[in-house]
Amino acid sequence: MFDRTRDSRAAGWRWLAALCLIALLASACGGGGDGDTGGVAVEGTTSPSATDDGGDRGDEGDSGVGDSGGDDSNGDERADDQQAGADEESPGPTAAPTTPDEEAPTVEPEPVYGGTLLFALESETTSGWNPITTSAATSGHIVLRQLYDPLVIEGADGEAIPFLLESFSPNDDYTEWTFTLRPGITFHDGSPVNSAALVRHLEELGNATLSRLAIEEAEIQGFEAIDDLTVKVSLGKTFVDFPLGFTSAGGFLGAPAMYDLGTDSARNPIGTGPFMLDEWVEHEVTRLARNPNYWRTDAEGRQLPYLDAIEFRPFEDDETRFNALRADDVDASLDNGGRRVEEYNEDFKAFWQGERYSATTGVLMNTARPPFDNVEMRRALAQCTDRQTLNTVLWDGQPPATGPFSPGTPGHLEDSGFPEYDPDAGRATFQRLGAPSFDILTTVTTLDLLQAELLVQMWGECGLDVGINQVLQTEAVTTAVFGNFDVFIAVNHSGYSLAMERFWWHSGYSPPPPVPAINFGRVVDSRIDAALDEVITTDDEERQRELAEEVNRAFADGVYNIWLYHSRWLIAAHDHVNGVDNLTIPGGGEHPKIFLGRVFLAETWLDEG
């Protein structure tokens, strides 16, 4: 039975002022259980500190349990249900034998089968669970990664690694790619994962509104099934990083029977993942049940997944979400803010994203319409933004981001040439050109509201009249896609692959509104276009770095975004939750931990007591 007791602690607002130089959408993995160790390590990923002078804490984020508080009445019942599930429904783990003369090695705790993980998310994905047609933020991607497996996964050093694919290989000029699926895998409905299913998936990608743009960008000429597991994809151009396009939603392989359902596929996902959809009550719960025929094992050969079920519960407000975790109403929770670094590290297991390949939070301006079609207006707004003060309040005082790439990521520059805080200069520009009135588009969370209020105050001191338009996360994305905004607080751009960023930044993805655009800010910049055009043609890592740096400088000169901070995603969990950041990759390799918050939970397990 789980021990649900907690030491009472006063938990209040802590404004964090320690310098923490970290990286958002381009961070590498740090600490924690390695993906090749079988997923039984209990330690969390290295976490940021609220007390040091920069970088990460030296220890692991496997600190104590959380505060008490909240009704504990259903804890025993849940524990009994979880143990029953482990005894009756799930296979048991096996241990490797030792010889009589052999000294027994240090034994890591073995994963326990069974139980239901209660997981708090930051938003609901109202557009459903067909990965090709949905509009999913980080919370949606977490759910999708339990329902589906990606064809390809991101490696810790920036490489693409086959996952559902057994292999991929190009021809000499990267205009033709051969994808080979792993044998013996079935979808949730029992149908085979084969070349016919992959061809159907590629066809569906070409039919969907946004993914069709990516297909057109690669100039896919066609796909051909070579045998039962192999598909050849022919491109109209050289595309060195083409496989990395299949690490996210476009690479989540759905069954042909799901695509046959049309719009009903949103409520009837059929993937290959470790869990299957059991129930979806919008804005209340998404319940996933164990896939008994899942194809993967951990590094010790134990069948995955360990859990019987996962219940995802959306909490749009980060205060409510934190309180649900503290009250023990959920086992684990997602967060992407820096106001409680110390609290999370002390009171919970804190599984943090590493330093490289983090996302960058910034103010994205709509350059397709006044007032921010004028670079002087954009520069003046940046000069009126006290980014250091904002970062002290929101993310433990880290220095302002200098561009979209976090430290340690190709393209990061200590000085990109981005405008410094200079409210007198900004105010003078607005007095000369006229002070505009506009709204900030942001999502419905306490953190985002606080962030927007700070910006309104700063910009108000420069004579600007600024309102706040808070909407649900999925609505915010839709609004941005159609260009119906002036400024948008966005979190994006890991810097993992500059070639993949072309979908967000190239002018080819900047049609005039109301045509939907992945390039939300409608950026049109010849320097950025040239770098993005070249980077898909070279596999020279040094040249790729140089091109990323050129993009960084061009963003600074054009002031298309006001870069705020690099934030690292966090999964905070109670002590009985293990293996949150574990992932055994078939054939070996390591994935960045808590990459953009998008975790795989097949190797997560719950203590019996």
Side-chain angles (χ1 to χ4, degrees), residues 453-487:
E453 288 173 341
L454 288 169
L455 291 170
V456 166
Q457 181 178 345
M458 293 172 187
W459 296 342
E461 292 173 358
C462 278
L464 304 183
D465 179 18
V466 184
I468 299 173
N469 180 21
Q470 275 199 298
V471 298
L472 296 177
Q473 196 166 59
T474 50
E475 184 181 346
V477 172
T478 301
T479 301
V481 164
F482 284 95
N484 298 323
F485 70 97
D486 295 307
V487 300

PDB file of all heavy atoms in Angstrom, residues 453-487:
ATOM      1  N   GLU A 453       1.018  40.442 -17.595  1.00  0.00           N
ATOM      2  CA  GLU A 453       0.837  41.647 -16.778  1.00  0.00           C
ATOM      3  C   GLU A 453       2.149  42.411 -16.601  1.00  0.00           C
ATOM      4  O   GLU A 453       2.174  43.652 -16.611  1.00  0.00           O
ATOM      5  CB  GLU A 453       0.249  41.273 -15.421  1.00  0.00           C
ATOM      6  CG  GLU A 453      -1.217  40.854 -15.492  1.00  0.00           C
ATOM      7  CD  GLU A 453      -1.743  40.329 -14.170  1.00  0.00           C
ATOM      8  OE1 GLU A 453      -0.920  39.942 -13.302  1.00  0.00           O
ATOM      9  OE2 GLU A 453      -2.973  40.300 -14.004  1.00  0.00           O
ATOM     10  N   LEU A 454       3.262  41.671 -16.449  1.00  0.00           N
ATOM     11  CA  LEU A 454       4.560  42.333 -16.344  1.00  0.00           C
ATOM     12  C   LEU A 454       4.897  43.071 -17.629  1.00  0.00           C
ATOM     13  O   LEU A 454       5.409  44.207 -17.597  1.00  0.00           O
ATOM     14  CB  LEU A 454       5.638  41.291 -16.026  1.00  0.00           C
ATOM     15  CG  LEU A 454       5.630  40.701 -14.616  1.00  0.00           C
ATOM     16  CD1 LEU A 454       6.563  39.502 -14.539  1.00  0.00           C
ATOM     17  CD2 LEU A 454       6.028  41.751 -13.590  1.00  0.00           C
ATOM     18  N   LEU A 455       4.614  42.451 -18.768  1.00  0.00           N
ATOM     19  CA  LEU A 455       4.891  43.093 -20.051  1.00  0.00           C
ATOM     20  C   LEU A 455       4.008  44.326 -20.253  1.00  0.00           C
ATOM     21  O   LEU A 455       4.477  45.369 -20.737  1.00  0.00           O
ATOM     22  CB  LEU A 455       4.679  42.098 -21.187  1.00  0.00           C
ATOM     23  CG  LEU A 455       5.699  40.952 -21.261  1.00  0.00           C
ATOM     24  CD1 LEU A 455       5.253  39.901 -22.272  1.00  0.00           C
ATOM     25  CD2 LEU A 455       7.087  41.477 -21.626  1.00  0.00           C
ATOM     26  N   VAL A 456       2.741  44.223 -19.876  1.00  0.00           N
ATOM     27  CA  VAL A 456       1.836  45.374 -19.990  1.00  0.00           C
ATOM     28  C   VAL A 456       2.368  46.547 -19.166  1.00  0.00           C
ATOM     29  O   VAL A 456       2.353  47.704 -19.619  1.00  0.00           O
ATOM     30  CB  VAL A 456       0.406  44.991 -19.544  1.00  0.00           C
ATOM     31  CG1 VAL A 456      -0.450  46.229 -19.336  1.00  0.00           C
ATOM     32  CG2 VAL A 456      -0.244  44.067 -20.568  1.00  0.00           C
ATOM     33  N   GLN A 457       2.840  46.254 -17.962  1.00  0.00           N
ATOM     34  CA  GLN A 457       3.377  47.314 -17.108  1.00  0.00           C
ATOM     35  C   GLN A 457       4.622  47.947 -17.737  1.00  0.00           C
ATOM     36  O   GLN A 457       4.756  49.186 -17.776  1.00  0.00           O
ATOM     37  CB  GLN A 457       3.713  46.755 -15.734  1.00  0.00           C
ATOM     38  CG  GLN A 457       4.270  47.792 -14.768  1.00  0.00           C
ATOM     39  CD  GLN A 457       4.556  47.206 -13.392  1.00  0.00           C
ATOM     40  OE1 GLN A 457       4.095  46.120 -13.066  1.00  0.00           O
ATOM     41  NE2 GLN A 457       5.322  47.930 -12.594  1.00  0.00           N
ATOM     42  N   MET A 458       5.539  47.126 -18.232  1.00  0.00           N
ATOM     43  CA  MET A 458       6.764  47.648 -18.842  1.00  0.00           C
ATOM     44  C   MET A 458       6.449  48.494 -20.066  1.00  0.00           C
ATOM     45  O   MET A 458       6.984  49.601 -20.243  1.00  0.00           O
ATOM     46  CB  MET A 458       7.680  46.486 -19.236  1.00  0.00           C
ATOM     47  CG  MET A 458       8.246  45.696 -18.078  1.00  0.00           C
ATOM     48  SD  MET A 458       9.108  44.205 -18.662  1.00  0.00           S
ATOM     49  CE  MET A 458       9.456  43.396 -17.095  1.00  0.00           C
ATOM     50  N   TRP A 459       5.583  47.966 -20.923  1.00  0.00           N
ATOM     51  CA  TRP A 459       5.282  48.678 -22.161  1.00  0.00           C
ATOM     52  C   TRP A 459       4.440  49.930 -21.884  1.00  0.00           C
ATOM     53  O   TRP A 459       4.535  50.909 -22.612  1.00  0.00           O
ATOM     54  CB  TRP A 459       4.587  47.735 -23.136  1.00  0.00           C
ATOM     55  CG  TRP A 459       5.465  46.591 -23.566  1.00  0.00           C
ATOM     56  CD1 TRP A 459       6.822  46.529 -23.465  1.00  0.00           C
ATOM     57  CD2 TRP A 459       5.051  45.351 -24.140  1.00  0.00           C
ATOM     58  NE1 TRP A 459       7.292  45.318 -23.937  1.00  0.00           N
ATOM     59  CE2 TRP A 459       6.219  44.578 -24.356  1.00  0.00           C
ATOM     60  CE3 TRP A 459       3.819  44.805 -24.477  1.00  0.00           C
ATOM     61  CZ2 TRP A 459       6.174  43.309 -24.923  1.00  0.00           C
ATOM     62  CZ3 TRP A 459       3.772  43.541 -25.035  1.00  0.00           C
ATOM     63  CH2 TRP A 459       4.935  42.794 -25.259  1.00  0.00           C
ATOM     64  N   GLY A 460       3.629  49.866 -20.831  1.00  0.00           N
ATOM     65  CA  GLY A 460       2.869  51.047 -20.449  1.00  0.00           C
ATOM     66  C   GLY A 460       3.769  52.199 -20.064  1.00  0.00           C
ATOM     67  O   GLY A 460       3.448  53.380 -20.312  1.00  0.00           O
ATOM     68  N   GLU A 461       4.907  51.888 -19.467  1.00  0.00           N
ATOM     69  CA  GLU A 461       5.856  52.931 -19.096  1.00  0.00           C
ATOM     70  C   GLU A 461       6.491  53.588 -20.320  1.00  0.00           C
ATOM     71  O   GLU A 461       7.106  54.654 -20.199  1.00  0.00           O
ATOM     72  CB  GLU A 461       6.933  52.341 -18.178  1.00  0.00           C
ATOM     73  CG  GLU A 461       6.384  51.936 -16.817  1.00  0.00           C
ATOM     74  CD  GLU A 461       7.401  51.198 -15.958  1.00  0.00           C
ATOM     75  OE1 GLU A 461       8.530  50.971 -16.457  1.00  0.00           O
ATOM     76  OE2 GLU A 461       7.069  50.848 -14.813  1.00  0.00           O
ATOM     77  N   CYS A 462       6.354  52.959 -21.475  1.00  0.00           N
ATOM     78  CA  CYS A 462       6.811  53.559 -22.735  1.00  0.00           C
ATOM     79  C   CYS A 462       5.652  54.209 -23.492  1.00  0.00           C
ATOM     80  O   CYS A 462       5.781  54.543 -24.675  1.00  0.00           O
ATOM     81  CB  CYS A 462       7.483  52.510 -23.609  1.00  0.00           C
ATOM     82  SG  CYS A 462       9.214  52.191 -23.174  1.00  0.00           S
ATOM     83  N   GLY A 463       4.503  54.356 -22.817  1.00  0.00           N
ATOM     84  CA  GLY A 463       3.380  55.064 -23.417  1.00  0.00           C
ATOM     85  C   GLY A 463       2.452  54.215 -24.253  1.00  0.00           C
ATOM     86  O   GLY A 463       1.630  54.750 -25.011  1.00  0.00           O
ATOM     87  N   LEU A 464       2.542  52.871 -24.123  1.00  0.00           N
ATOM     88  CA  LEU A 464       1.723  51.978 -24.949  1.00  0.00           C
ATOM     89  C   LEU A 464       0.468  51.547 -24.195  1.00  0.00           C
ATOM     90  O   LEU A 464       0.494  51.329 -22.980  1.00  0.00           O
ATOM     91  CB  LEU A 464       2.526  50.742 -25.351  1.00  0.00           C
ATOM     92  CG  LEU A 464       3.846  50.999 -26.084  1.00  0.00           C
ATOM     93  CD1 LEU A 464       4.490  49.684 -26.489  1.00  0.00           C
ATOM     94  CD2 LEU A 464       3.632  51.883 -27.302  1.00  0.00           C
ATOM     95  N   ASP A 465      -0.610  51.411 -24.942  1.00  0.00           N
ATOM     96  CA  ASP A 465      -1.878  50.918 -24.393  1.00  0.00           C
ATOM     97  C   ASP A 465      -2.018  49.465 -24.826  1.00  0.00           C
ATOM     98  O   ASP A 465      -2.285  49.175 -25.994  1.00  0.00           O
ATOM     99  CB  ASP A 465      -3.041  51.767 -24.933  1.00  0.00           C
ATOM    100  CG  ASP A 465      -4.395  51.275 -24.419  1.00  0.00           C
ATOM    101  OD1 ASP A 465      -4.417  50.539 -23.418  1.00  0.00           O
ATOM    102  OD2 ASP A 465      -5.424  51.628 -25.048  1.00  0.00           O
ATOM    103  N   VAL A 466      -1.844  48.536 -23.878  1.00  0.00           N
ATOM    104  CA  VAL A 466      -1.776  47.113 -24.204  1.00  0.00           C
ATOM    105  C   VAL A 466      -2.800  46.345 -23.390  1.00  0.00           C
ATOM    106  O   VAL A 466      -2.902  46.512 -22.165  1.00  0.00           O
ATOM    107  CB  VAL A 466      -0.363  46.542 -23.923  1.00  0.00           C
ATOM    108  CG1 VAL A 466      -0.283  45.082 -24.362  1.00  0.00           C
ATOM    109  CG2 VAL A 466       0.697  47.378 -24.642  1.00  0.00           C
ATOM    110  N   GLY A 467      -3.577  45.506 -24.066  1.00  0.00           N
ATOM    111  CA  GLY A 467      -4.534  44.623 -23.404  1.00  0.00           C
ATOM    112  C   GLY A 467      -4.034  43.196 -23.393  1.00  0.00           C
ATOM    113  O   GLY A 467      -3.004  42.863 -23.988  1.00  0.00           O
ATOM    114  N   ILE A 468      -4.763  42.327 -22.706  1.00  0.00           N
ATOM    115  CA  ILE A 468      -4.398  40.911 -22.595  1.00  0.00           C
ATOM    116  C   ILE A 468      -5.568  40.068 -23.094  1.00  0.00           C
ATOM    117  O   ILE A 468      -6.700  40.232 -22.627  1.00  0.00           O
ATOM    118  CB  ILE A 468      -4.058  40.524 -21.142  1.00  0.00           C
ATOM    119  CG1 ILE A 468      -2.855  41.339 -20.645  1.00  0.00           C
ATOM    120  CG2 ILE A 468      -3.776  39.026 -21.029  1.00  0.00           C
ATOM    121  CD1 ILE A 468      -2.545  41.140 -19.168  1.00  0.00           C
ATOM    122  N   ASN A 469      -5.287  39.176 -24.030  1.00  0.00           N
ATOM    123  CA  ASN A 469      -6.286  38.256 -24.564  1.00  0.00           C
ATOM    124  C   ASN A 469      -5.888  36.839 -24.184  1.00  0.00           C
ATOM    125  O   ASN A 469      -5.032  36.231 -24.829  1.00  0.00           O
ATOM    126  CB  ASN A 469      -6.388  38.407 -26.083  1.00  0.00           C
ATOM    127  CG  ASN A 469      -7.412  37.460 -26.692  1.00  0.00           C
ATOM    128  OD1 ASN A 469      -8.301  36.967 -26.000  1.00  0.00           O
ATOM    129  ND2 ASN A 469      -7.291  37.197 -27.986  1.00  0.00           N
ATOM    130  N   GLN A 470      -6.477  36.320 -23.098  1.00  0.00           N
ATOM    131  CA  GLN A 470      -6.170  34.967 -22.633  1.00  0.00           C
ATOM    132  C   GLN A 470      -7.168  33.977 -23.209  1.00  0.00           C
ATOM    133  O   GLN A 470      -8.388  34.156 -23.082  1.00  0.00           O
ATOM    134  CB  GLN A 470      -6.210  34.896 -21.111  1.00  0.00           C
ATOM    135  CG  GLN A 470      -4.915  35.317 -20.433  1.00  0.00           C
ATOM    136  CD  GLN A 470      -4.852  34.809 -19.013  1.00  0.00           C
ATOM    137  OE1 GLN A 470      -5.677  35.160 -18.181  1.00  0.00           O
ATOM    138  NE2 GLN A 470      -3.866  33.970 -18.722  1.00  0.00           N
ATOM    139  N   VAL A 471      -6.654  32.915 -23.833  1.00  0.00           N
ATOM    140  CA  VAL A 471      -7.500  31.883 -24.432  1.00  0.00           C
ATOM    141  C   VAL A 471      -6.914  30.519 -24.095  1.00  0.00           C
ATOM    142  O   VAL A 471      -5.782  30.404 -23.628  1.00  0.00           O
ATOM    143  CB  VAL A 471      -7.598  32.053 -25.964  1.00  0.00           C
ATOM    144  CG1 VAL A 471      -8.229  33.392 -26.334  1.00  0.00           C
ATOM    145  CG2 VAL A 471      -6.225  31.929 -26.619  1.00  0.00           C
ATOM    146  N   LEU A 472      -7.687  29.469 -24.337  1.00  0.00           N
ATOM    147  CA  LEU A 472      -7.187  28.123 -24.145  1.00  0.00           C
ATOM    148  C   LEU A 472      -6.023  27.864 -25.095  1.00  0.00           C
ATOM    149  O   LEU A 472      -5.914  28.477 -26.160  1.00  0.00           O
ATOM    150  CB  LEU A 472      -8.291  27.096 -24.392  1.00  0.00           C
ATOM    151  CG  LEU A 472      -9.478  27.142 -23.423  1.00  0.00           C
ATOM    152  CD1 LEU A 472     -10.530  26.110 -23.835  1.00  0.00           C
ATOM    153  CD2 LEU A 472      -9.028  26.886 -21.993  1.00  0.00           C
ATOM    154  N   GLN A 473      -5.160  26.936 -24.711  1.00  0.00           N
ATOM    155  CA  GLN A 473      -3.931  26.708 -25.458  1.00  0.00           C
ATOM    156  C   GLN A 473      -4.203  26.345 -26.917  1.00  0.00           C
ATOM    157  O   GLN A 473      -3.558  26.870 -27.833  1.00  0.00           O
ATOM    158  CB  GLN A 473      -3.115  25.608 -24.785  1.00  0.00           C
ATOM    159  CG  GLN A 473      -1.671  25.544 -25.243  1.00  0.00           C
ATOM    160  CD  GLN A 473      -0.843  24.686 -24.320  1.00  0.00           C
ATOM    161  OE1 GLN A 473      -1.131  23.514 -24.140  1.00  0.00           O
ATOM    162  NE2 GLN A 473       0.198  25.256 -23.739  1.00  0.00           N
ATOM    163  N   THR A 474      -5.157  25.454 -27.149  1.00  0.00           N
ATOM    164  CA  THR A 474      -5.442  25.051 -28.528  1.00  0.00           C
ATOM    165  C   THR A 474      -5.996  26.218 -29.337  1.00  0.00           C
ATOM    166  O   THR A 474      -5.706  26.350 -30.528  1.00  0.00           O
ATOM    167  CB  THR A 474      -6.430  23.875 -28.560  1.00  0.00           C
ATOM    168  OG1 THR A 474      -7.569  24.192 -27.734  1.00  0.00           O
ATOM    169  CG2 THR A 474      -5.790  22.614 -28.038  1.00  0.00           C
ATOM    170  N   GLU A 475      -6.786  27.086 -28.690  1.00  0.00           N
ATOM    171  CA  GLU A 475      -7.313  28.260 -29.380  1.00  0.00           C
ATOM    172  C   GLU A 475      -6.193  29.242 -29.700  1.00  0.00           C
ATOM    173  O   GLU A 475      -6.206  29.896 -30.750  1.00  0.00           O
ATOM    174  CB  GLU A 475      -8.382  28.940 -28.528  1.00  0.00           C
ATOM    175  CG  GLU A 475      -9.046  30.121 -29.212  1.00  0.00           C
ATOM    176  CD  GLU A 475     -10.088  30.800 -28.334  1.00  0.00           C
ATOM    177  OE1 GLU A 475     -10.490  30.206 -27.311  1.00  0.00           O
ATOM    178  OE2 GLU A 475     -10.487  31.935 -28.670  1.00  0.00           O
ATOM    179  N   ALA A 476      -5.222  29.356 -28.803  1.00  0.00           N
ATOM    180  CA  ALA A 476      -4.093  30.247 -29.048  1.00  0.00           C
ATOM    181  C   ALA A 476      -3.312  29.805 -30.282  1.00  0.00           C
ATOM    182  O   ALA A 476      -2.913  30.628 -31.117  1.00  0.00           O
ATOM    183  CB  ALA A 476      -3.178  30.293 -27.828  1.00  0.00           C
ATOM    184  N   VAL A 477      -3.084  28.493 -30.403  1.00  0.00           N
ATOM    185  CA  VAL A 477      -2.354  27.977 -31.562  1.00  0.00           C
ATOM    186  C   VAL A 477      -3.129  28.245 -32.842  1.00  0.00           C
ATOM    187  O   VAL A 477      -2.572  28.697 -33.853  1.00  0.00           O
ATOM    188  CB  VAL A 477      -2.070  26.471 -31.390  1.00  0.00           C
ATOM    189  CG1 VAL A 477      -1.479  25.889 -32.675  1.00  0.00           C
ATOM    190  CG2 VAL A 477      -1.130  26.231 -30.211  1.00  0.00           C
ATOM    191  N   THR A 478      -4.428  27.996 -32.817  1.00  0.00           N
ATOM    192  CA  THR A 478      -5.256  28.241 -33.999  1.00  0.00           C
ATOM    193  C   THR A 478      -5.238  29.716 -34.386  1.00  0.00           C
ATOM    194  O   THR A 478      -5.121  30.069 -35.569  1.00  0.00           O
ATOM    195  CB  THR A 478      -6.701  27.789 -33.736  1.00  0.00           C
ATOM    196  OG1 THR A 478      -6.705  26.393 -33.418  1.00  0.00           O
ATOM    197  CG2 THR A 478      -7.568  28.029 -34.960  1.00  0.00           C
ATOM    198  N   THR A 479      -5.346  30.594 -33.387  1.00  0.00           N
ATOM    199  CA  THR A 479      -5.302  32.034 -33.647  1.00  0.00           C
ATOM    200  C   THR A 479      -3.978  32.438 -34.290  1.00  0.00           C
ATOM    201  O   THR A 479      -3.943  33.237 -35.227  1.00  0.00           O
ATOM    202  CB  THR A 479      -5.512  32.812 -32.331  1.00  0.00           C
ATOM    203  OG1 THR A 479      -6.769  32.453 -31.762  1.00  0.00           O
ATOM    204  CG2 THR A 479      -5.494  34.311 -32.578  1.00  0.00           C
ATOM    205  N   ALA A 480      -2.881  31.860 -33.788  1.00  0.00           N
ATOM    206  CA  ALA A 480      -1.569  32.175 -34.342  1.00  0.00           C
ATOM    207  C   ALA A 480      -1.441  31.666 -35.774  1.00  0.00           C
ATOM    208  O   ALA A 480      -0.898  32.358 -36.648  1.00  0.00           O
ATOM    209  CB  ALA A 480      -0.479  31.577 -33.461  1.00  0.00           C
ATOM    210  N   VAL A 481      -1.928  30.461 -36.037  1.00  0.00           N
ATOM    211  CA  VAL A 481      -1.835  29.874 -37.372  1.00  0.00           C
ATOM    212  C   VAL A 481      -2.520  30.765 -38.409  1.00  0.00           C
ATOM    213  O   VAL A 481      -2.024  30.943 -39.535  1.00  0.00           O
ATOM    214  CB  VAL A 481      -2.442  28.457 -37.383  1.00  0.00           C
ATOM    215  CG1 VAL A 481      -2.717  27.986 -38.809  1.00  0.00           C
ATOM    216  CG2 VAL A 481      -1.515  27.476 -36.674  1.00  0.00           C
ATOM    217  N   PHE A 482      -3.646  31.364 -38.043  1.00  0.00           N
ATOM    218  CA  PHE A 482      -4.393  32.197 -38.991  1.00  0.00           C
ATOM    219  C   PHE A 482      -3.985  33.673 -38.928  1.00  0.00           C
ATOM    220  O   PHE A 482      -4.558  34.506 -39.633  1.00  0.00           O
ATOM    221  CB  PHE A 482      -5.888  32.043 -38.745  1.00  0.00           C
ATOM    222  CG  PHE A 482      -6.435  30.743 -39.258  1.00  0.00           C
ATOM    223  CD1 PHE A 482      -6.571  29.642 -38.420  1.00  0.00           C
ATOM    224  CD2 PHE A 482      -6.785  30.600 -40.593  1.00  0.00           C
ATOM    225  CE1 PHE A 482      -7.046  28.438 -38.890  1.00  0.00           C
ATOM    226  CE2 PHE A 482      -7.268  29.394 -41.082  1.00  0.00           C
ATOM    227  CZ  PHE A 482      -7.400  28.305 -40.230  1.00  0.00           C
ATOM    228  N   GLY A 483      -3.004  34.000 -38.101  1.00  0.00           N
ATOM    229  CA  GLY A 483      -2.463  35.349 -38.086  1.00  0.00           C
ATOM    230  C   GLY A 483      -3.348  36.395 -37.459  1.00  0.00           C
ATOM    231  O   GLY A 483      -3.186  37.596 -37.740  1.00  0.00           O
ATOM    232  N   ASN A 484      -4.243  35.970 -36.559  1.00  0.00           N
ATOM    233  CA  ASN A 484      -5.186  36.914 -35.946  1.00  0.00           C
ATOM    234  C   ASN A 484      -4.669  37.423 -34.599  1.00  0.00           C
ATOM    235  O   ASN A 484      -5.310  37.268 -33.566  1.00  0.00           O
ATOM    236  CB  ASN A 484      -6.553  36.248 -35.773  1.00  0.00           C
ATOM    237  CG  ASN A 484      -7.171  35.844 -37.088  1.00  0.00           C
ATOM    238  OD1 ASN A 484      -7.037  36.556 -38.085  1.00  0.00           O
ATOM    239  ND2 ASN A 484      -7.850  34.707 -37.109  1.00  0.00           N
ATOM    240  N   PHE A 485      -3.483  38.017 -34.601  1.00  0.00           N
ATOM    241  CA  PHE A 485      -2.885  38.502 -33.360  1.00  0.00           C
ATOM    242  C   PHE A 485      -1.896  39.613 -33.679  1.00  0.00           C
ATOM    243  O   PHE A 485      -1.469  39.787 -34.834  1.00  0.00           O
ATOM    244  CB  PHE A 485      -2.177  37.370 -32.621  1.00  0.00           C
ATOM    245  CG  PHE A 485      -0.914  36.904 -33.306  1.00  0.00           C
ATOM    246  CD1 PHE A 485       0.328  37.377 -32.905  1.00  0.00           C
ATOM    247  CD2 PHE A 485      -0.960  36.006 -34.360  1.00  0.00           C
ATOM    248  CE1 PHE A 485       1.492  36.966 -33.543  1.00  0.00           C
ATOM    249  CE2 PHE A 485       0.191  35.593 -35.011  1.00  0.00           C
ATOM    250  CZ  PHE A 485       1.422  36.071 -34.604  1.00  0.00           C
ATOM    251  N   ASP A 486      -1.514  40.366 -32.652  1.00  0.00           N
ATOM    252  CA  ASP A 486      -0.457  41.375 -32.768  1.00  0.00           C
ATOM    253  C   ASP A 486       0.843  40.852 -32.172  1.00  0.00           C
ATOM    254  O   ASP A 486       1.876  40.834 -32.832  1.00  0.00           O
ATOM    255  CB  ASP A 486      -0.879  42.665 -32.068  1.00  0.00           C
ATOM    256  CG  ASP A 486      -2.077  43.325 -32.735  1.00  0.00           C
ATOM    257  OD1 ASP A 486      -2.020  43.560 -33.953  1.00  0.00           O
ATOM    258  OD2 ASP A 486      -3.081  43.581 -32.035  1.00  0.00           O
ATOM    259  N   VAL A 487       0.791  40.457 -30.894  1.00  0.00           N
ATOM    260  CA  VAL A 487       1.936  39.801 -30.269  1.00  0.00           C
ATOM    261  C   VAL A 487       1.432  38.563 -29.545  1.00  0.00           C
ATOM    262  O   VAL A 487       0.313  38.530 -29.029  1.00  0.00           O
ATOM    263  CB  VAL A 487       2.699  40.734 -29.302  1.00  0.00           C
ATOM    264  CG1 VAL A 487       3.219  41.960 -30.022  1.00  0.00           C
ATOM    265  CG2 VAL A 487       1.841  41.123 -28.120  1.00  0.00           C
TER     266      VAL A 487
END
